[in-house]
Amino acid sequence: MEEQTVVLIVGAGPAGLATAACLTQLSIPYVIVEREDCSASLWRNRAYDRLKLHLAKEFCELPHMSYPADAPTYIPKDQFVKYLDNYIERFDIQPKYQTAIESCSYDEVRKCWFSMARDMTTSVVVRYTARFLVVASGENSAENIPFITGFHGFAGEAIHSSRYKSGASYSGKNVLVVGCGNSGMEIAYDLASHGANTSIVIRSPVHVVTKEIIRLGMTLVQHIPVNVVDGLLVRLSNFVFGDLSKHGIVRPKLGPLLLKAKTGRSAVIDVGTVSLIKNGTIKVLGNISKIEGNTVEFEGRKASAFDAIVFATGYKSTANTWLKNGESMLNDDGLPKQEFPNHWKGANGLYCAGLAKRGLAGIAMDAKNIANDILSSYHA
């Protein structure tokens, strides 16, 4: 089977949906394919129960549709999924689900992208021909678990944070969380709140802020230089939390907003974890050196036994496994070569949405840029 379209969008997460909506607004035909059986599978199937959007709703809207007036400032997971469902309905987006792109390459002669897609329910292969290709398969497509000596021999339960739902089943157990980003810190809090004996590995410097502080920063930075805003945010955070270095949490040298801009690493928005670390309910541990049975040994030869380990160690892009001729845009890790805000466009009608580690606000910018750029050459 063969299908022709102007634009092929790979991935029906928020980035793919936002791009589809922007193309719809400009009356540009497209096809959107998704390997899972639903849109935004990360949010529906791989997010823990207590998750809310970490940023205020004004920084988390997709293009051309606001949240309902009565939506809370910080949107819970289920309400965000409902917003996406309404978004799909509003713009009549019809993803082809359970359709996995197996290869995609550019034909220099015909000046188009050839994609081989497999219907995962029937195994039928469809060939898509498109003038433009949008990689929207996400920076969160595959679990990332670091190599640890003895990991495969761990006697307890080891899961990635994408499979963690709630701490209810871990009450009374010794649980280690590896990773101190927003997911790791919130999962540690959730575990401790459910009565698990919780420890967390904090391997690198991290900014800890409140949601109010980061909202203030993101509002001020639209009017004031980022280094001035960062200085204020750090002082406010020190005032709220005090010196956390004695508890194993060290601040990075770069301020929170500049660090996000340069590296994509977000500040941690505290949900109550810090007070549990301060009172000893949650223990902070250093790097893991090895695992033997159910015993985890840390640097400095300290060792403890655990019933479970949750790896909140992030994800990786899988775009390079199927995209050939993508080297104009993506590096070996399947992420943009160019820095924000010039990351979204490659050669020969190739684009990426949602790969710049800029959250939902970055996705909205990418989608608008891509649709407008396609419009300018679509009629050329």
Side-chain angles (χ1 to χ4, degrees), residues 267-298:
V268 167
I269 296 166
D270 182 51
V271 294
T273 315
V274 169
S275 63
L276 297 185
I277 288 172
K278 283 180 171 179
N279 70 21
T281 303
I282 297 174
K283 298 180 183 64
V284 173
L285 298 165
N287 269 330
I288 298 172
S289 53
K290 65 177 179 178
I291 297 173
E292 284 186 12
N294 66 349
T295 301
V296 179
E297 190 175 298
F298 301 89

Side-chain angles (χ1 to χ4, degrees), residues 170-332:
Y170 296 97
S171 180
K173 293 184 176 179
N174 298 324
V175 185
L176 177 65
V177 179
V178 181
C180 60
N182 277 297
S183 294
M185 292 288 244
E186 188 160 2
I187 286 169
Y189 176 83
D190 190 54
L191 285 161
S193 301
H194 282 95
N197 304 314
T198 309
S199 302
I200 185 168
V201 170
I202 297 184
R203 299 173 296 170
S204 47
V206 61
H207 284 290
V208 182
V209 296
T210 66
K211 60 183 189 293
E212 293 80 12
I213 287 172
I214 209 72
R215 187 186 191 188
L216 174 68
M218 291 180 73
T219 306
L220 289 178
V221 81
Q222 297 170 42
H223 312 284
I224 300 171
V226 66
N227 58 323
V228 177
V229 178
D230 268 344
L232 174 64
L233 300 192
V234 168
R235 284 197 295 278
L236 286 171
S237 299
N238 286 339
F239 176 75
V240 171
F241 297 111
D243 178 14
L244 295 178
S245 61
K246 58 190 172 203
H247 301 288
I249 301 172
V250 179
R251 282 198 181 280
K253 296 209 169 21
L254 284 179
L257 297 181
L258 201 55
L259 186 72
K260 177 69 176 172
K262 285 191 175 294
T263 68
R265 282 178 53 209
S266 299
V268 167
I269 296 166
D270 182 51
V271 294
T273 315
V274 169
S275 63
L276 297 185
I277 288 172
K278 283 180 171 179
N279 70 21
T281 303
I282 297 174
K283 298 180 183 64
V284 173
L285 298 165
N287 269 330
I288 298 172
S289 53
K290 65 177 179 178
I291 297 173
E292 284 186 12
N294 66 349
T295 301
V296 179
E297 190 175 298
F298 301 89
E299 286 177 0
R301 305 200 66 76
K302 184 177 180 181
S304 297
F306 292 97
D307 301 302
I309 305 175
V310 180
F311 286 92
T313 42
Y315 298 84
K316 51 194 175 189
S317 164
T318 58
N320 282 343
T321 60
W322 52 266
L323 177 62
K324 318 302 172 201
N325 316 120
E327 58 282 347
S328 66
M329 186 175 72
L330 301 181
N331 62 22
D332 290 345

